[in-house]
Structures are given as C-alpha cells and as structure tokens.
Amino acid sequence: MYQEIILDHYRNPHGRGLRDPFEAEVHHVNPTCGDEVTVRVHLSGGEGRDAKVEDLSYDALGCSISQAATSVAHDLLVGHTVGEAFDTLDAYQAMVQGRGKVEPDEDVLDDAVAFAGVAAYPARVKCALLGWLAFKDAVAQAQAGGSS
Amino acid sequence: MTAIAPSTTGATLDVAKIRADFPILSRTVRDGKPLVYLDSGATSQRPRQVLDTERHFLETSNAAVHRGAHALAEEATDAYESARERIAAFVGADVGEIVFTKNATEGINLVAYAMGNASVGERVDPAAERFRLGPGDEIVTTEMEHHANLVPWQELCRRTGATLRWFSVTRDGRLDLDSDEARTVINERTKVVAFTHQSNVLGTVPPVSELVRRAREVGAYTVLDACQSVPHAPVDLHALGVDFASFSGHKMLGPSGIGVLYGRAELLEALPPFLTGGSMIELVRMEGSTYAPPPARFEAGVPMTSQAIGLGAAVDYLSAIGMDAVKAHEQSLTEAALVKLQDLPGVTIIGPRTTEARGGAVAFEIEGIHPHDASQVLDDSGIAVRVGHHCAWPLHRAFGVQSSIRASFHVYNTMEEVDTLVAGVRRAQEFFGTVQP
C-alpha cells in the first residue's frame, strides 16, 4: 500500500498551508482516529461546473495516507474547472472504495493511482478520502454562498 | 485494600493449553502470517467452551425466558438464572444485584437515565427521590474515562441542569487527587462520582477505596466502569464498596450483546426503570403501572438468553483458570512490553511506566510515525493492535496527542507475541526511516 509516491507526498506535501483568498473553509474530522483537515477553496469565473479551481489550500493532521492524499488532490484539482475536478474526484472515490474491483484510469488519476492499494484496506479508505471530500464540501459551500 | 484484589504469588497457567481452546488463534492473516491478537481491550476472543455452551443451549433448550410454562421455557429460564448466579459469585455480588444489559455502555446509561427519570416529570416514586438531580448538583468523572463513562453524564447534566466536574490526569498517567484544585472536586454538592476501575488506554488503576471514601463522605453515589478490570483480575464488588458497576461480556471471553450492571441491592430497589415494557412490570392498568423488583425491573423485553448463558460459561472458564493466575500472567506480559518498548529509541509509553497499580493495556507513540501507519505495518505482520483515540478523546487531548497505538493482553497471549510486537514496531521505524536498520 505504501507506494513511493505516497511516501514522497507525505514527506514533502504539495500546496500545504492555508492561503488567501478563499470563498469557503471547511474542517473535516475522521472520528475513528481523530485525523483532521482544514481545506480552503478559491474559485473564479463561471457558475457551477464551469467555475475554475484557483486554489486548494489545506492544513492537516493525520497519517501518511490522509496527508499524501490531500497533497495529491492539490496537484490534480487546482487549475481545473469544478466539473473536471469533480469527475477526477468521482474516479478517485470509485477506485479507493472499489475493494480492488475498479480498474483506475491512469490518464484521469495520474499520481492518485498510487492509492489503489488502499482499496484493499477498508479501514484506511476514510483516510484516503478525508481531504478530497473536504474539498467537495468546500466547493459546495463556496458555490452556495456565491449564489445566495 | 487497593482497587483490585492482590494476586496470589506463584499463580501460573498453561498458555499453550489455553490457546488450544481458542480456534481463532490458530488462523493466519495477511498472506499466511500467524495471528498475533493484541486487541483484547477492544474485544476478547472466545474459547470453544463458550461457543459450545451457546450452541448446546440453542440446540436443546432455546425459549423465551420468564414467560410460558412449557418444558423449554423452564429449562431456558433455569439456564439464564444459573448464569446470573455464577456471574454474581464471580464479582462478589448477590444474585439480585446483577442486571443483564446489552453491554457496559448500556449499563452506565441505565444508571444515568434512571437517575434522570427520578429527576424530571410528575409522579416520581418517593423511593426514587434520593436520586433526584437538578441545578446546583454536581456529577464527578475523570479525564481518563472511556466515552461510555463520560458522555452519559454530560447528557444527564444537560437534562437535569446539574454540573459536570472532573479529576484531571497527571503527566505520569495517574489521577490528580491531591492538588488544591482536586481536593474540591468532590464536595457537598456532589451526587454521583463515576470513574474507571482501569483506564482502557493508560492501564492505570485508580485508588478506588479513596474515591469511594470521598464520595461516601458527602453522600454521593459511586459508579465504576469495570470493563477493563473484571476480565483481567479478581474483583470483589462488595469489598470495593461501590454503588454501581458495569462490565461487558465480550471483553471477558464471552459473547457480545451481553453486559452486566451491578447495583447495591438497596439502591436497585429504589431506582426507577430505564427501559420499560414487558417483563419488567408488576401490574399494568391503562391508568398506569407498577414495576417488578430488581433485577427484573431493569430487564425489559425478551433478554439475550444464549449470550447470558455464554457469559456464564466464560465466567466458569476464567474461574477454572483462576483470576489470580490470569492477573499474574497478564502482569508479566505487561511488564515485558513496557520494558522492551521503552528500550526502543523514539517510543514513548502513554501511562504509567511500571506495572504498579496498572493493568495490561499498553498505549504508546512512535516518534515521527502516525499510529495508523504504524498499525498498517504491524498488521502486515499479522499483529492486531488498536489505533486511534480508543474512545478516550479527552485523555489523548490531555496528553497532547491525537491518537496512539495500544496493545492489550488476555489470558491467551504469550511472551513471544510481545517480542513479535516489539520487532514489528522496530520494522515500522525502519520502513518509515525514523531509525536506521
């Protein structure tokens, strides 16, 4: 499960730290282990799926899987539209929750395919999803805030 | 006396013979690794004797207890009540003081809700007035409690307006009972003092007699979480002098879905019910009902029959080994684990560093490695330990750690397994590069 890519991201996380500007900030906790992540998103232009993810900044406390997964999310989601980011997220979620039965698409998931091994350890799936689902929540809040 | 009766010196047991009784211990995990099960603090494994007793009951005598007059109903009721008698004897209680619950959590909630029922609403039984709580009253607990002995009291405070207070934990994993601040925690406003008999994280055994003394001095009721003591050492509840105590079957080689609430006879007699319905009534009319004497008053509905009978078999099994021998065995494993883990660079024990007033839960941190990651490496070697906050989040916060690794022992664990654990921790350190191979 501990692919070199995961350990690299764990030791040298990409995009770590909370930055301005941002439209929404969320705090997610994994209550079974106490891992925590705070995620901020900064979106620009467009509505809904057309908006662009300008930044995903975060501060996290947790295991190598949750830390590295959030770092990879930063790499894969920033610079894309919300629609593209959500498609990537869906593919990632399907892979880690797939119990090893979902063949990951390397073109979509890039470095995130390293987390395919997590699917064999159901107890760790939450770790791999913590930062990603926090991002999804933050986008939803940012867009709800923007439209109201 | 101290919290747990002293063990007889020289008490020994035959681990190999005991292990043969536990079918699950012979399986392998993760590509053929022998299972090293060090998570009995979460749930213990069950010997054939317990499994066979449950199956035999279900194949020969299964029926709803305390209803019906047919042959099976009679046999089932006898088996159920016989289990209650043996469990009562096992913990030094009278048979009428033993209430079957779903687990220890339900036992503690039963007391908290029953006290709540004595505190709110109309037509409270005058006998139950003694349990009434309201604004100005205080409930005391400790920072080392499992959530099961904390959250029910927070909720009872919320419902009644009482105030929650607590004893803090010292850096060496003991209760602070003697600082100026601690001296006032139990006072004339205190109505309940709820505390653990053995911390499920630190292993610490608090001074029960001192806490009981302080509670009695102010007329407060004591509630003991005995989940981590009854399975591992001789416990005499009458000698301890606590008012209520709760423990779970699945942590003492018995089935899940069965637990025990102990209450002093005089108190159970006065305590209003928690769950109501069938079995627990005396007389039911449309205008209102009266309730059966304890323990039936607290066992509404058809109970967990085969589980209670299985717990009776678990108590027989432990009694045959002898709880002094169980305690001595686990003490030697704990001592070895403490010494060998502390020998590793970067490993810090959370809790007392010696076996004095301490049981067999060994929690630790490994510098630079998140507990989840460490447990993954251990798991790949077939070692089952618990990671996380072990349902004791405030305790972890007090120690400034987010989570920890916990190894916990039972009668079937061996010295070799302690060595396997230590080697596994070492391997995790090498894998994550926090020490050189």
Side-chain angles (χ1 to χ4, degrees), chain B residues 339-372:
Chain B
V339 168
K340 291 177 181 185
L341 285 171
Q342 287 180 98
D343 259 358
L344 295 176
V347 174
T348 310
I349 301 290
I350 302 173
R353 310 278 167 99
T354 69
T355 55
E356 192 198 339
R358 188 197 206 291
V362 179
F364 57 98
E365 285 184 281
I366 311 172
E367 193 184 353
I369 306 178
H370 189 281
H372 252 179

Side-chain angles (χ1 to χ4, degrees), chain B residues 67-352:
Chain B
R67 353 167 119 56
H70 55 77
L72 293 190
E74 197 177 289
E75 284 178 26
T77 303
D78 282 351
Y80 181 72
E81 290 304 325
S82 158
R84 194 195 307 273
E85 280 169 28
R86 279 135 56 217
I87 293 161
F90 185 71
V91 293
D94 294 334
V95 65
E97 297 176 317
I98 297 297
V99 175
F100 286 127
T101 62
K102 179 177 74 180
N103 50 28
T105 298
E106 188 182 273
I108 295 168
N109 274 278
L110 191 163
V111 177
Y113 272 92
M115 287 181 172
N117 290 343
S119 308
V120 296
E122 303 290 304
R123 289 181 292 153
V124 172
D125 184 336
E129 283 291 336
R130 61 192 295 178
F131 299 111
R132 183 181 287 277
L133 290 160
D137 292 329
E138 294 181 359
I139 295 173
V140 170
T141 183
T142 87
E143 209 175 17
M144 67 168 68
E145 297 310 309
H146 186 283
H147 297 163
N149 202 24
L150 169 60
V151 183
W153 304 116
Q154 291 175 335
E155 280 294 300
L156 181 59
C157 285
R158 190 186 58 74
R159 293 196 301 276
T160 61
T163 302
L164 190 76
R165 302 203 48 186
W166 57 88
F167 287 107
S168 304
V169 176
T170 62
R171 285 309 299 172
D172 56 352
R174 302 290 180 184
L175 281 186
D176 169 20
L177 297 177
D178 296 317
S179 67
D180 287 348
E181 204 190 343
R183 283 272 157 203
T184 65
V185 170
I186 295 177
N187 58 57
E188 68 287 351
R189 295 183 296 278
T190 309
K191 293 291 180 284
V192 177
V193 181
F195 58 99
T196 186
H197 200 183
Q198 181 181 306
S199 162
N200 70 313
V201 179
L202 309 169
T204 307
V205 176
V208 177
S209 55
E210 172 61 14
L211 286 160
V212 166
R213 189 189 65 74
R214 288 193 202 182
R216 277 187 182 162
E217 224 169 63
V218 298
Y221 299 115
T222 45
V223 181
L224 188 71
D225 174 0
C227 256
Q228 300 288 343
S229 58
V230 166
H232 305 288
V235 173
D236 183 331
L237 292 171
H238 281 174
L240 288 173
V242 292
D243 293 313
F244 298 97
S246 192
F247 52 94
S248 285
H250 71 96
K251 293 192 200 293
M252 50 192 290
L253 317 185
S256 53
I258 186 76
V260 170
L261 172 72
Y262 159 83
R264 279 206 298 118
E266 175 216 355
L267 297 179
L268 286 186
E269 198 59 55
L271 197 68
F274 163 40
L275 299 175
T276 55
S279 294
M280 53 74 67
I281 51 91
E282 180 184 59
L283 205 65
V284 177
R285 294 202 175 88
M286 289 314 293
E287 295 74 23
S289 304
T290 55
Y291 304 121
R297 187 189 304 158
F298 305 103
E299 294 179 3
V302 174
M304 326 65 159
T305 321
S306 62
Q307 293 91 326
I309 289 158
L311 181 56
V315 157
D316 292 344
Y317 186 86
L318 286 167
S319 300
I321 296 169
M323 290 309 288
D324 288 322
V326 171
K327 185 184 176 184
H329 175 66
E330 291 184 31
Q331 194 97 345
S332 64
L333 297 175
T334 305
E335 178 155 26
L338 287 172
V339 168
K340 291 177 181 185
L341 285 171
Q342 287 180 98
D343 259 358
L344 295 176
V347 174
T348 310
I349 301 290
I350 302 173

Side-chain angles (χ1 to χ4, degrees), chain A residues 1-2 7 10-11 29-36 61-65 120-121 123-124 127, chain B residues 30 368-370 372-377 379-380 386-390 393 402-403 431-433:
Chain A
M1 185 173 82
Y2 291 104
L7 294 174
Y10 175 49
R11 294 186 187 114
V29 176
N30 180 352
T32 58
C33 62
D35 282 5
E36 299 176 43
L61 201 64
C63 64
S64 60
I65 300 298
Y121 298 91
R124 304 303 296 277
C127 310
Chain B
R30 308 288 185 212
I369 306 178
H370 189 281
H372 252 179
D373 292 323
S375 91
Q376 196 79 46
V377 175
D379 178 51
D380 279 336
R386 175 80 188 264
V387 289
H389 49 60
H390 323 306
W393 216 333
Q402 185 202 9
S403 61
F431 182 81
F432 287 102

